[in-house]
Structure formats: C-alpha cells, structure tokens
Amino acid sequence: MPSLDQVLSRLGATRAWQEELYLHLHAHPELSLHEEKTRALVATRLGELGYEVRTLGGGVVGVLANGPGPVVLSRADIDGLPVTEQTGLPYASTDTTVDESGDTVGLMHACGHDVHITSLLGAAALLAAEPGAWSGTFVALFQPAEEIAAGARAMVDGGLVDAVPRPDVVFGQHVLGHTAGVLATQAGPVLSAGDSVKVTVFGKGSHGSMPHLGVDPVVLASAIVLRLQAIVSREVPPGEFAVVTVGALNAGTKSNVIPDRATLLVNLRTYDTETRARVVAAVERVVRGECAAAGSPQEPTFDYYDQFPLTDNDPDVTSKVTDAFRAHFGADRVVPLGRVPASEDFSRIPDAFDAPYTYWGVGGFAPGTAVPNHSPFFAPLLQPTLDAGTEAVVVAAMAYLGKDLS
Ligand code: ZN
Ligand code: ZN
C-alpha cells in the first residue's frame, strides 16, 4: 500500500471525534488573544497523540520527531470574531463576551478557524498513528489572534524559532467560498499586504457661526477623503493592485461647534512591497499637503496598526503540493486560488525561519451558496469540508515525509 493511503486509512476513525470537536469549537469561539480554552483543548489533545507540546506567545506548538528526514510545519489559526451568529445552525454559537469598550458582543467562528483547528488536529492524529509510513518531523502549530494580525508575531516574539526544529517547508490553509471539498492553490502573491492607519489632523476650534476664527478639520478631512481616491486611479500603475479605503471618519459633536481635530481610519491593500511603499508614501503626502492647504496649526499624526504582511507562495513548494493534491483528490477538485484581497499574518511564521511556504484554500460551500468570511451567516458545510482540510494537510506533509513502501 502506498504510504499516503496507509496514513489516510484511519480517517474513518478520526472523523468521528473531529466532527464532535468541530461542533464544540464552533459553539464556543474565543476572541483574539483570549483563546485560553481553545489553546488548552488543543494542547491536551496533542499531548494525548504523543506530540511534544509547548505553549508560547498565546499559541500551541506540537512536535512529532519520527526519524531522519525533512521538517514540515503546518499552521492553523484559532481565534473567533465579535460577530453574533445568525446561521440558524443547531450548533450555532450563542456565547457572548464583553469587549474593550464594555459592550456585550456575540462570539462566532465567522472565519472558519474552527475548521482549521479540527483539520490540523486530525492530520496530526493520522500521522501519529502511522509512524512506519513516513520519516522526518511534523510540527503542528496553532496560532492565536490572526484576526488582529498579532498572533504570528506573538509566537515569534515568544521564542518560536528556538522552540521547534527549523522547518524545511511551512503550510497554511483557509476555508473559503469555493465548493466544499475543492482545494485552491496558486504560486506567487495570493493574499494582499494589509495596513491600517489612524490619521489625526488638527484644526482650530471655533463657534459654528464664526468659521473665519477657526480652522475647520471637518472640511480638511473631507478634502483628504476625496484626494485619497486619486492615489489608486492616478498614481498606481494600471494593472497593479491596490485598495485605499477610508473606513471611518470622525470629528465633532454638535452642529454649531467647529471641532479642533478629525480622525480617519484608512485601510490599504497591496500585492507587492514596492506598490505598498508607494501607496503609504502617497497617503502621508496627501494628508500633509491638505493640512498645509487648510492652514492646519499642527502636523498630522499617523498611527499604523493591524499590519498584515504579503502572502507570497513559493513556486516550487506550491507546484509540489498542487501535484500531490491533483494525484490524491483528482484534477477536477484542484482549482486556481486567484488573488484574494484579504490579508493574513501567516507568512510571519515561515519568514521567521526563512523557510519556503504555500498557503491554500479549502472550499466549504455548496455551489452558489457561499457567503463571505466574517459574515454572521458564514456556515461552511461540515462535510466534506473537514475531510478535505484534514486530507490536504496529510497529503501536503506526506509529499515531503512519505516513505516508498513498495
Ligand atoms: Zn478572518
Ligand atoms: Zn480567517
């Protein structure tokens, strides 16, 4: 029997506990940087499977050393979102939490990270159960706080590079809107770099009836919003991808008071570092220029946050994994991922090891029924999504670790 088939022959046995685990995780999501119960559950399960378990940077990493050979690291993100679930599923989350502003908010795995956790634990179990079929080291990494772009960095800062053997290759996967059971791969940039910046511009407060005695930051901020629209249309080369969105604009409290400042929350998405630098520089130049034009009494400030790196799949790794997917799933179940304008902090992990990586999509929906990630209606099909996510990790890992048993 080929070694891959030997490892996957136990899928029937893991499927039962995986489905039960998925239903539990789906019903009990935890917010970014508050994944205590999820982390404990994962750590316990990895320990039971025989992995050497470390918790660091708010995440968990399990190492299974099984003789000489390559080191393969596979990563799952584990956080939920402050979204009130409206899927109507029998296992929908009804959990709530109190956010930083003191408001009670719903909790939901609205990005499918429960699929990622369950798939990676299943793959970890399958590999642990058949050590004779492969040789090398498998590292299962469970990362917190992907949604706020903090978790990968926290694990790297927490000592990840010294805690596990250096991987020869790193994998990540995400449930997306493709047909359930379909895998989506692509070499090169697949997820955009994302930057958020809080811009504060300053005016001079006055009575609403005496604008000539003040500097109106509402007018200033409005000019900035319009002028920012010209960055993508007039400064980014046609054919290059960039998005500049002003997601929030706040100033003032009352109709007859001219406030003394305005804030803008600006989101930027790009697919290469040169374009990113160009767009960031253009945003700052436009803001400073409009402030000068308005006679603003104080320099604007720029606070960058939620910064996601580019996800740029290694061509050789992607080609090897895609071939393995085609051989296992059949060519009709492997499609091009395309470029997704969303962003991920996944690549900080391989980049910390200077290791090549590939990140693929797992379809989760019946054709024509997909809703976007983060929607309160985001409800991936339990199967074949879980099986596909589990098999995908095993197939990719075995492309590097598998033994020829013939
Ligand atoms: Zn998400
Ligand atoms: Zn996600």
Side-chain angles (χ1 to χ4, degrees):
M1 188 195 300
S3 60
L4 173 61
D5 292 350
Q6 189 175 327
V7 174
L8 288 176
S9 66
R10 292 175 185 264
L11 184 60
T14 62
R15 186 182 290 128
W17 65 253
Q18 281 187 277
E19 290 184 356
E20 196 179 315
L21 175 69
Y22 174 77
L23 299 183
H24 171 81
L25 291 169
H26 189 86
H28 301 295
E30 294 179 293
L31 275 191
S32 306
L33 297 179
H34 298 276
E35 304 95 337
E36 291 84 9
K37 288 180 185 149
T38 308
R39 183 172 60 233
L41 190 154
V42 167
T44 303
R45 184 62 61 114
L46 283 174
E48 287 165 4
L49 294 171
Y51 282 70
E52 189 186 311
V53 183
R54 294 275 300 267
T55 56
L56 55 91
V60 188
V61 64
V63 178
L64 190 62
N66 184 37
V71 178
V72 170
L73 185 152
S74 190
R75 169 270 204 181
D77 42 8
I78 66 173
D79 49 333
L81 284 160
V83 172
T84 300
E85 181 157 359
Q86 295 178 47
T87 60
L89 290 167
Y91 50 92
S93 164
T94 55
D95 288 2
T96 59
T97 190
V98 175
D99 71 10
E100 279 159 19
S101 353
D103 296 326
T104 298
V105 293
L107 282 169
M108 179 180 174
H109 268 300
C111 203
H113 298 184
D114 43 0
V115 174
H116 311 161
I117 301 167
T118 311
S119 297
L120 182 53
L121 273 177
L126 290 167
L127 287 162
E130 290 289 349
W134 59 281
S135 187
T137 299
F138 184 68
V139 183
L141 183 147
F142 297 82
Q143 180 212 302
E146 184 279 328
E147 296 291 356
I148 58 170
R153 195 194 301 268
M155 289 192 78
V156 172
D157 291 349
L160 175 66
V161 171
D162 296 323
V164 302
R166 182 186 172 276
D168 295 289
V169 64
V170 178
F171 303 135
Q173 65 175 351
H174 206 297
V175 62
L176 295 172
H178 302 86
T179 302
V182 162
L183 283 306
T185 68
Q186 184 153 313
V190 289
L191 297 175
S192 63
D195 294 273
S196 289
V197 53
K198 178 182 178 185
V199 178
T200 305
V201 296
F202 299 92
K204 187 175 164 207
S206 182
H207 194 286
S209 69
M210 298 174 228
H212 60 292
L213 299 180
V215 172
D216 189 343
V218 176
V219 174
L220 164 58
S222 305
I224 289 170
V225 172
L226 291 179
R227 184 76 194 231
L228 289 177
Q229 308 307 313
I231 293 174
V232 173
S233 69
R234 303 290 83 183
E235 297 193 41
V236 174
E240 279 294 324
F241 169 92
V243 176
V244 175
T245 291
V246 180
L249 168 56
N250 293 300
T253 51
K254 217 168 172 300
S255 68
N256 64 352
V257 176
I258 292 172
D260 68 351
R261 68 192 60 201
T263 59
L264 302 94
L265 302 182
V266 185
N267 191 252
L268 314 174
R269 305 283 170 146
T270 51
Y271 277 128
D272 77 48
T273 45
E274 203 177 303
T275 306
R276 179 183 170 277
R278 186 195 285 246
V279 170
V280 167
V283 168
E284 295 201 9
R285 191 195 71 239
V286 164
V287 171
R288 288 185 204 285
E290 290 294 339
C291 286
S296 169
Q298 196 178 328
E299 282 292 303
T301 59
F302 301 88
D303 299 308
Y304 287 87
Y305 65 101
D306 283 6
Q307 290 189 283
F308 292 89
L310 186 68
T311 305
D312 189 359
N313 282 340
D314 180 83
D316 294 338
V317 173
T318 306
S319 147
K320 184 164 174 154
V321 167
T322 303
D323 287 349
F325 283 173
R326 287 207 181 103
H328 175 71
F329 294 102
D332 57 329
R333 280 180 64 187
V334 184
V335 301
L337 177 57
R339 286 185 169 187
V340 185
S343 303
E344 256 278 4
D345 67 349
F346 159 76
S347 67
R348 290 196 204 285
I349 290 170
D351 285 352
F353 293 102
D354 197 19
Y357 61 85
T358 196
Y359 181 95
W360 63 80
V362 182
F365 295 86
T369 68
V371 294
N373 297 63
H374 294 199
S375 157
F377 299 98
F378 185 79
L381 294 171
L382 184 77
Q383 293 295 7
T385 311
L386 276 186
D387 276 4
T390 307
E391 288 174 72
V393 174
V394 172
V395 169
M398 287 295 284
Y400 288 84
L401 301 172
K403 274 186 184 170
D404 185 2
L405 300 180
S406 55

